[in-house]
Amino acid sequence: MREHLYWKFVLTFLIGVLGSLILSYYITTRIAGDADEYYEELIEVRQGIIHVYKLAGDEEKEKIMPILTDLGIDATLLKITDLSNELTEREMNQLLTQQENDNYLIKDTKNLTQAMYLMFDREAKEVLKVDIDLSDDLANRRQVMIRTLLFVLVIGSVFILFASRYFVNSIKKLTVAAKEVTRGNFDVDLKTEREDEIGQLMHSFDDMIQTLKSTDESRKVFVSNVSHEIQSPLTSIKGYTKAIQDGVIDPEDEAKYLAIIYQEADRLSRLSTHLLKLQRLDDDHFTLNKQTYRLDEQIRSIVLTTAPLWQEKDLSVHVDLEPLSLELDEDLMELVWINLITNAIKFTDPGGSIDINYYLEHDRRVIRIHDTGCGIPKDKLPYIFDRFYKVDDARTEKNAGSGLGLAIVKKIIHLHGGDVQVVSDQNQGTTFFCEIKKILMSSYSVHIQSVYYL
């Protein structure tokens, strides 16, 4: 039982409260319930009785008894001979021989208890015995104090039982949630309206679960997509290879089918390359190999390299770039421009055009790549940078891809502290804006514009 936080919390509280109550009782009995205070009160009561006794005199001594009774004082009228067990002979003689109005005797019987003997009638030898006892008052006061402290202990204990359960229940929910998450179940409800430290912990834990859930779903989608992307070309390769082996295909058609097998194998190779590249970029320990180079020359080189592709479709490519040197990872940035330019070529209809330029916006250099192609529907734009995502209208045998190119583009730009945006609409063309966050070297004053035509 003591291993549970709930009981540890309760026992710790009870020990603390019990210690506090004992200390409180000790202090209150020493201060509020001190016997000296009651002794002073006893003297005051005794002096009051003597004062009344002296004022009454012999003529009005009969009034003393009702007064004392009204005050709640225990008074008894006795013969002096009845006091032989209480008073010594000397004390009785003292009462009988004392002068008038001084005929009283005070005798302590026990702590805070005194007996007063007042000569009521000398001739009749009657004595008024008054018992003054404050010990019971002190004892009652201490008992009330003890009962009050015990009552506080009980009420506090009941309160802490419920309060502890309130706090510990949230921790129990966290424990159950953690066990479920370790089993792979992310459908755990940890919503709470608490705003204290435990509430913040539950909110943070819930955020962590949602992140893990999203990651797990992405992993499943990723595995599914990779499996699909691998399975499709493998099926083609196996089918055509088997057909050639079995002699089903005419010898004159073998070259065509071998070309298809080669294309599918090349597709697998590109997919493998992209996956390895993404894995490398996702590594937390990955560092950029930055060096200063001419960005404009790099883009022009890629445009020239892809010339067979855009010349085949009779496209015009306009490159309007000022000389600009930046400190970037040259190899990675080359992947960015290759992906964006080949995409623009791939999805632009024959006779269209592609424009490439850049401009300065605050502290960012924005590279703009615009094409007059088929465009992307607005409802698909939020997903085009997701891994393996493909816009349905573009998924034809001719332009089929892995769906990883734009994901790589975005990852590389983000690693450089920049951002990539896209503006597009169906049948209206597409424009990509790559923002490089910081300009490290000023551009040259020379302006170079290149226009490439078929």
Side-chain angles (χ1 to χ4, degrees), residues 385-445:
F385 294 105
D386 292 349
R387 299 177 183 189
F388 294 105
Y389 183 80
K390 300 177 184 179
V391 180
D392 292 338
D393 294 338
R395 294 185 68 175
T396 64
E397 289 298 326
K398 187 176 181 180
N399 55 31
S402 66
L404 294 175
L406 292 180
I408 293 174
V409 167
K410 186 173 184 178
K411 185 69 177 180
I412 293 173
I413 295 296
H414 281 184
L415 286 173
H416 283 84
D419 195 14
V420 57
Q421 304 291 336
V422 60
V423 176
S424 183
D425 201 356
Q426 203 163 8
N427 301 319
Q428 299 297 320
T430 302
T431 306
F432 282 89
F433 300 90
C434 297
E435 302 176 359
I436 306 300
K437 186 173 183 180
K438 186 177 181 182
I439 300 175
L440 299 174
M441 294 186 67
S442 301
S443 59
Y444 298 103
S445 58

Side-chain angles (χ1 to χ4, degrees), residues 17-145:
V17 169
L18 189 60
S20 300
L21 292 179
I22 294 173
L23 181 62
S24 300
Y25 176 76
Y26 176 79
I27 294 174
T28 52
T29 53
R30 289 296 179 184
I31 299 176
D34 198 293
D36 292 340
E37 179 182 342
Y38 278 85
Y39 188 75
E40 292 176 359
E41 185 177 340
L42 184 147
I43 294 174
E44 291 178 0
V45 172
R46 185 181 68 193
Q47 289 176 345
I49 294 172
I50 294 173
H51 183 67
V52 171
Y53 173 72
K54 289 182 177 180
L55 289 176
D58 291 339
E59 296 82 7
E60 298 181 347
K61 284 182 180 178
E62 292 80 5
K63 297 179 180 180
I64 295 176
M65 182 76 77
I67 293 173
L68 296 178
T69 302
D70 292 340
L71 293 175
I73 298 174
D74 186 15
T76 308
L77 189 61
L78 301 169
K79 291 288 187 179
I80 195 168
T81 53
D82 296 333
L83 300 173
S84 58
N85 294 330
E86 301 178 24
L87 300 176
T88 63
E89 184 177 349
R90 179 182 177 186
E91 289 172 337
M92 288 189 288
N93 290 332
Q94 182 180 346
L95 278 174
L96 293 171
T97 58
Q98 282 180 338
Q99 297 180 356
E100 191 175 353
N101 289 335
D102 287 331
N103 296 26
Y104 61 85
L105 176 68
I106 300 171
K107 188 172 183 179
D108 291 329
T109 55
K110 59 181 179 178
N111 189 30
L112 296 180
T113 302
Q114 288 185 348
M116 292 186 65
Y117 303 92
L118 305 172
M119 198 64 201
F120 192 78
D121 188 338
R122 194 181 299 274
E123 293 181 359
K125 294 185 178 181
E126 291 180 336
V127 176
L128 181 64
K129 179 184 177 184
V130 179
D131 292 315
I132 306 172
D133 188 357
L134 297 183
S135 60
D136 290 340
D137 290 343
L138 178 59
N140 291 336
R141 186 169 180 177
R142 288 179 174 174
Q143 287 180 2
V144 170
M145 218 180 297

Side-chain angles (χ1 to χ4, degrees), residues 143-158:
Q143 287 180 2
V144 170
M145 218 180 297
I146 293 173
R147 291 192 190 101
T148 303
L149 294 176
L150 290 175
F151 177 76
V152 171
L153 177 62
V154 171
I155 295 298
S157 301
V158 172

Side-chain angles (χ1 to χ4, degrees), residues 332-343:
L332 291 181
M333 293 306 296
E334 184 176 6
L335 283 177
V336 171
W337 312 130
I338 289 175
N339 276 290
L340 293 179
I341 292 173
T342 54
N343 272 357

Side-chain angles (χ1 to χ4, degrees), residues 358-393:
Y358 51 62
Y359 56 89
L360 183 63
E361 186 177 83
H362 303 298
D363 64 337
R364 299 189 176 198
R365 179 66 68 172
V366 182
I367 293 85
R368 173 181 174 273
I369 301 177
H370 170 74
D371 65 65
T372 59
C374 60
I376 304 170
K378 288 185 178 180
D379 60 328
K380 306 294 178 65
L381 282 176
Y383 311 105
I384 64 171
F385 294 105
D386 292 349
R387 299 177 183 189
F388 294 105
Y389 183 80
K390 300 177 184 179
V391 180
D392 292 338
D393 294 338

